[in-house]
């Protein structure tokens, strides 16, 4: 609260945050109230300043040496004088000194004047660059940015030891854990062998024996020192782990759960699917959820893009959602306009800490680079910590079971009453393709899961009142007085996987699909001038085939629509999709077809064995056309009409 933001062409000051709604006051006295999720997702939203300087925590400030605190406060007065002309800041009264008058001198000139003044006062190693770095650090970190960082650095238990040596010592401690006869010397020798084997002899400088001894003592578990037997589970339970999250998006857990339903894959076969979701620990909100085949895990950068970028900021989002509603499913949880409003208000934020399951998706160097740039901490949960009752992994399992039942009920409602048997692809769960089921999952989370009271969302003093995730999100926003900010729309495409493709007259082909747009008109058939191989940089969503993004020479990413998207969403084409699925299922059926069955006429044709289908579709050789008695050569009753074979009979 107290921050100044721009919204709808005006500058506002945040005066309150109640029930997830932000109360605003403009400079001209006008007031407003808007939902926090809609405010941060607006195109013109930006934070332009705060009403007061951000102060460090009292405990941290008091722990600093007195000299460091006095130096930081002195720097603060100098920086204020550089920026406003007054040591006390804007509105403190008085007249600026001639060298620091903002009306007469530029910021660079005032920084040069301040550097000369400090040097004349006896400050050492102070130049214009030093003054500029201090000023920038103040705007990034507040008063703590002006503190000499040498006074706040915590001493590491490993000292200045090489990280490669530290990793080798930890590995040696794990290998020799629980052996009663193990000595510190054996741990040191094993760590040295690990370093030589991994990096080669002489590549890594090893510390002295005394330093290695101290390193082993510092890294060993105090509850299980070297040479002691391994601990057992019979001792008293120890309370540990991080404290519970108290703010929205403070800790976001990523877990994977299997779905009981199957979908029709791109090859026409039924595929088992899983859901990987990012669940906010404090509120239970599902910030992102993607479906993927069980044999292939989800990509974490894609999940980060889904949770950190609000849907209204994504290119073409309203149109994509509108075309998804044209599919003609028997029932929808929300009408289109209501779903647009509910999805726009769905929480989205950059997490402070991303908690990953050790058995979940793989952590890549690209993800670590992105998290480092965004200031996101990454933790790993081992064992059953993320699947125990009450944890976010257990919550995701409940979500997967509830959505599976909903999808099965919807498939039963969509299945026609006649002409289908138990071994039909529809009865087996193949009524949905992966994009269709993903759309249903997004709608179900927005309309059902976020409005469903959860057992874990109970206040200790109100144990009989369970809140919904949406309600808990609004409650914690009002309690903390701050809104976690999401990313902008351009970041969504930047986080997606990249491939190189050629731009032809027909557009861009990816995954046997064609994508095109008017922005490609001047680049068709040409090589990319910014790449070595001439191919263009294309960003694509692995679990959403409706559009891709291409980087043009101006450096921006432009969306390309799937050219057949409108056809795939039509009700008639959904029926064709199901019929093709039945025909493909008949290719691999092992049954026999001795004759037409009056009760299953159409179905018997669908399950004809592969060999019989091949015989029926065979083209007769020239000269083996229809005989005089009306039968075909080779004893076949029916065959395909061939023009060349027919001409040979004339």
């Amino acid at each position: 609260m107290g921050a100044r933001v721009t919204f709808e062409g005006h500058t506002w000051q945040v005066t309150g945050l109640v029930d997830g709604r932000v109360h605003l006051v403009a400079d001209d006295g006008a007031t407003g109230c808007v939902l926090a999720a809609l405010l941060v997702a607006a195109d013109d939203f930006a934070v332009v300043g705060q009403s007061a300087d951000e102060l460090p925590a009292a405990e941290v400030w008091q722990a600093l040496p007195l000299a460091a605190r006095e130096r930081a406060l002195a720097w603060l007065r100098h920086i204020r004088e550089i920026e406003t002309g007054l040591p006390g800041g804007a509105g403190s009264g008085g007249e600026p000194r001639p060298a620091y008058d903002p009306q007469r001198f530029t910021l660079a000139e005032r920084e040069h004047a301040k550097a000369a003044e400090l040097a004349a006062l006896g400050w050492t190693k102070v130049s214009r660059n030093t003054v500029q770095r201090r000023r920038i650090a103040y705007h990034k970190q507040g008063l703590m940015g002006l503190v000499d960082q040498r006074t706040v650095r915590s001493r590491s238990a490993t000292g200045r030891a090489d990280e490669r040596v530290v990793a080798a010592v930890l590995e040696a401690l794990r290998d020799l854990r629980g052996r009663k006869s193990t000595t510190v010397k054996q741990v040191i020798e094993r760590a040295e062998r690990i370093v030589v084997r991994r990096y080669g002899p002489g590549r890594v400088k090893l510390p002295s024996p005394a330093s290695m001894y101290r390193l082993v003592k510092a890294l060993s578990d105090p509850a299980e020192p070297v040479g002691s037997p391994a601990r057992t589970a019979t001792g008293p339970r120890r309370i540990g782990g991080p404290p519970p999250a108290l703010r929205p998006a403070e800790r976001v857990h990523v877990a994977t759960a299997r779905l009981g339903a199957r979908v029709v894959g791109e090859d026409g076969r039924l595929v088992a699917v899983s859901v990987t979701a990012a669940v906010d620990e404090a509120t239970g909100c599902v910030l992102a959820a993607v479906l993927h085949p069980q044999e292939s895990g989800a990509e974490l950068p894609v999940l980060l893009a889904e949770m950190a970028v609000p849907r209204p900021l994504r290119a073409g989002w309203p149109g994509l959602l509108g075309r998804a509603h044209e599919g003609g499913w028997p029932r929808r949880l929300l009408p289109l306009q209501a779903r647009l409003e509910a999805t726009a208000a769905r929480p989205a934020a950059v997490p402070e800490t991303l908690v990953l399951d050790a058995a979940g998706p793989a952590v890549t160097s690209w993800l670590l680079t992105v998290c480092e740039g965004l200031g996101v901490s990454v933790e790993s949960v081992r064992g059953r910590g993320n699947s125990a009752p009450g944890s976010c992994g257990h919550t995701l399992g409940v979500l997967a079971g509830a959505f599976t039942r909903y999808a099965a009920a919807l498939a039963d409602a969509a299945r026609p009453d006649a002409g289908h048997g138990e071994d039909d692809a529809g009865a087996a769960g193949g009524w949905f393709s992966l994009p269709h089921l993903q759309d249903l999952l997004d709608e179900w989370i927005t309309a059902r899961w976020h409005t469903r009271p959860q057992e874990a969302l109970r206040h200790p003093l109100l144990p009989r009142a369970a809140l919904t995730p949406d309600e808990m999100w609004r409650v914690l926003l009002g309690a903390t007085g701050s809104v976690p900010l999401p990313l902008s729309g351009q970041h969504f495409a930047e986080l997606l996987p990249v491939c190189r493709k050629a731009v032809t007259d027909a557009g861009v082909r990816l995954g046997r699909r064609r994508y095109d747009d008017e922005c490609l008109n001047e680049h068709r058939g040409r090589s990319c001038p910014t790449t070595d191989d001439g191919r263009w940089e294309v960003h694509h969503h692995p679990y959403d085939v409706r559009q891709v993004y291409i980087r043009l020479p101006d450096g921006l990413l432009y969306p390309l629509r799937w050219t057949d998207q409108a056809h795939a969403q039509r009700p008639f084409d959904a029926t064709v999709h199901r019929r093709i699925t039945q025909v493909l299922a008949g290719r691999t059926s092992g049954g026999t077809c001795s004759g037409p069955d009056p009760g299953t006429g159409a179905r018997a044709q669908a399950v004809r064995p592969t060999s019989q289908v091949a015989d029926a579709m065979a083209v007769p050789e020239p000269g083996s056309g229809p005989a005089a008695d009306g039968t075909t050569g080779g004893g076949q009753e029916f065959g395909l009409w061939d023009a060349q074979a027919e001409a040979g009979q004339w």
Side-chain angles (χ1 to χ4, degrees), residues 452-514:
R452 172 181 179 268
Q454 296 188 10
E455 292 293 327
L457 303 180
R458 296 178 184 269
H459 193 274
L461 298 180
L462 301 171
R464 296 186 179 181
L467 298 182
T468 67
D470 275 342
E471 293 172 341
M472 181 58 76
W473 183 274
R474 296 198 302 267
V475 166
L476 292 185
L477 286 184
T480 59
S482 63
V483 179
L485 296 180
L487 299 178
S488 60
Q490 62 181 356
H491 292 94
F492 181 75
E494 293 286 356
L495 291 173
L496 300 180
V498 183
C499 62
R500 303 279 185 176
K501 294 294 179 180
V503 175
T504 64
D505 293 338
V508 175
R509 296 194 66 87
L510 178 64
R512 295 184 175 86
R513 297 183 178 90
R514 187 167 63 89

Side-chain angles (χ1 to χ4, degrees), residues 499-510 515 520 523-528 533-538 550 560:
C499 62
R500 303 279 185 176
K501 294 294 179 180
V503 175
T504 64
D505 293 338
V508 175
R509 296 194 66 87
L510 178 64
Y515 298 88
L520 297 180
H523 307 290
R524 299 182 189 275
R526 298 182 179 179
S527 299
C528 180
D533 56 2
R535 294 186 295 175
W536 299 75
E537 178 183 337
V538 177
I550 186 171
L560 304 180

Side-chain angles (χ1 to χ4, degrees), residues 64 81 109 147 216 229 343 405 459 466 553 580 611 642:
L64 296 174
E81 188 174 20
E109 292 173 338
V147 178
V216 172
T343 308
R405 292 190 294 271
H459 193 274
I580 293 177
S611 59
D642 184 84

Side-chain angles (χ1 to χ4, degrees), residues 262-425:
R262 293 185 293 176
V263 301
V264 179
E266 295 183 354
D267 58 354
R269 300 178 181 179
L270 295 181
V271 179
V273 293
S274 298
V275 55
T276 298
V279 183
D280 182 38
E281 179 181 321
T283 65
C285 288
V286 179
L287 301 182
V290 296
L291 297 177
H292 55 89
Q294 288 185 5
E295 63 271 10
S296 61
E299 298 190 27
L300 289 176
V302 176
L303 201 68
L304 183 61
E306 287 282 348
M307 75 175 79
V309 180
R311 285 157 179 78
L313 297 183
R314 303 175 190 177
W317 170 73
L320 295 175
L321 197 62
R323 282 188 289 271
H325 270 249
E326 298 174 1
W329 296 109
R331 62 176 181 266
R332 282 281 186 176
L333 297 176
L334 293 172
L336 177 58
Q337 188 59 34
R339 185 180 176 189
L340 285 170
E341 297 174 358
T343 308
R346 185 170 164 180
V350 177
E352 298 180 21
T353 301
L354 201 60
V355 183
L356 306 177
D357 192 353
V363 178
T364 61
S365 59
W366 166 240
L367 175 72
L368 297 178
T369 303
V370 171
C371 291
E372 180 71 21
L374 296 177
V376 179
S377 302
V378 179
E379 293 183 4
S380 178
V381 176
R382 300 186 179 275
R384 300 187 57 188
N386 206 25
S387 60
S391 64
C392 291
H394 179 263
T395 301
L396 182 59
V398 176
L399 181 147
F403 176 70
T404 299
R405 292 190 294 271
Y406 165 73
L410 192 61
D412 290 338
R415 185 183 298 113
D417 295 334
H420 296 278
E422 290 300 324
D423 58 348
D424 191 1

